């Protein structure tokens, strides 16, 4: 019994040490800037406003503006391209970034493509389109392409839904992104 309690204490101690280490790493200085999270550029101190003026907010906006990513780069949205690899190489993606799906409209020389948003990882793994939502039709990828803005902080699972999921299953036309909150460096 004492051994089991000792293991529990040891495990708790390891978890505590890992948590403290993570907090210490999160508060490390960035590019020579102080690690003080309350530093607002010297315009405010805890004893009240400087020079008897009202508090002025920090106007240093060093966040990265939203970006547009052409899905697949110059290859666009096509059968046989590894989009999971593309997403890993082009991430991270942030909230309000835009994914642009470019593909030719259906004609006698190209296969039609579309864009579906799958509801969960299980559907993504199996290319199960039964509960998926179509977000772009076969005609919407031409020209400047179809734009999808990553507005929410949750995983987005994308797939081509044509030919009953064959493009997803055999043609690697699927990937997912988990948009992050933009870092603030003030």
């Amino acid at each position: 019994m004492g051994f089991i309690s000792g293991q529990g204490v040891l495990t708790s101690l390891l978890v505590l040490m890992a948590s403290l280490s993570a907090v210490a790493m999160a508060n490390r200085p960035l590019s020579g800037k102080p690690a003080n999270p309350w530093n607002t550029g010297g315009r405010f101190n805890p004893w009240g406003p400087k020079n008897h003026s009202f508090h002025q907010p920090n106007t240093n906006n060093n966040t990265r503006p939203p970006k547009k990513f052409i899905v697949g780069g110059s290859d666009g949205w096509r059968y046989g391209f590894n989009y999971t690899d593309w997403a890993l190489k082009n991430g991270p993606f942030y909230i309000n970034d835009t994914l642009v799906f470019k593909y030719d409209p259906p004609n006698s020389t190209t296969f039609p493509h579309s864009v579906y948003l799958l509801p969960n990882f299980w559907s993504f793994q199996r290319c199960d389109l039964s509960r998926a939502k179509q977000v772009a039709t076969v005609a919407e990828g031409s020209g400047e392409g179809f734009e999808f803005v990553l507005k929410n902080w949750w995983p987005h699972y994308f797939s081509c839904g044509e030919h009953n999921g064959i493009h997803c299953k055999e043609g690697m036309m699927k990937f997912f992104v988990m948009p992050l909150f933009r870092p603030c460096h003030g």
Side-chain angles (χ1 to χ4, degrees):
M1 189 75 170
F3 179 71
I4 294 172
S5 296
Q7 269 188 323
V9 170
L10 182 60
T11 303
S12 298
L13 186 60
L14 286 173
V15 169
L16 177 65
M17 294 296 286
S19 299
L20 290 173
S21 176
V23 169
M25 291 300 292
N27 288 329
R28 72 185 189 282
L30 297 173
S31 305
K33 294 182 181 180
N36 179 358
W38 303 106
N39 183 5
T40 59
R43 287 184 247 173
F44 180 78
N45 68 45
W47 305 110
K50 288 185 176 180
N51 301 330
H52 305 291
S53 62
F54 292 104
H55 169 69
Q56 298 173 355
N58 184 359
T59 57
N60 295 336
N61 186 3
N62 294 335
T63 60
R64 181 181 70 80
K67 279 186 172 181
K68 280 189 180 184
F69 295 90
I70 297 174
V71 175
S74 60
D75 284 299
W77 187 236
R78 66 171 180 82
Y79 187 89
F81 186 86
N82 188 338
Y83 292 96
T84 300
D85 189 48
W86 172 85
L88 289 171
K89 289 179 180 175
N90 287 276
F93 300 92
Y94 294 96
I95 292 175
N96 291 325
D97 282 347
T98 301
L99 300 176
V100 181
F101 293 84
K102 289 188 173 190
Y103 48 94
D104 293 328
N107 60 44
S108 60
T109 60
T110 62
F111 290 108
H113 298 301
S114 57
V115 182
Y116 278 75
L117 193 57
L118 301 163
N120 54 44
F121 185 71
W122 179 255
S123 297
F124 173 77
Q125 283 292 98
R126 298 177 52 94
C127 292
D128 178 6
L129 300 167
S130 63
R131 295 186 316 149
K133 177 183 176 187
Q134 185 176 27
V135 292
T137 65
V138 295
E140 290 182 87
S142 63
E144 295 298 312
F146 166 74
E147 294 187 357
F148 186 92
V149 179
L150 299 168
K151 294 182 181 181
N152 299 305
W153 184 59
W154 57 57
H156 293 74
Y157 303 100
F158 295 99
S159 166
C160 177
E162 297 308 302
H163 299 287
N164 200 26
I166 296 295
H167 288 192
C168 175
K169 292 174 189 169
E170 296 176 9
M172 298 185 291
M173 292 188 74
K174 67 177 183 175
F175 70 100
F176 78 93
V177 298
M178 176 63 192
L180 305 172
F181 290 106
R182 280 185 205 295
C184 292
H185 303 289

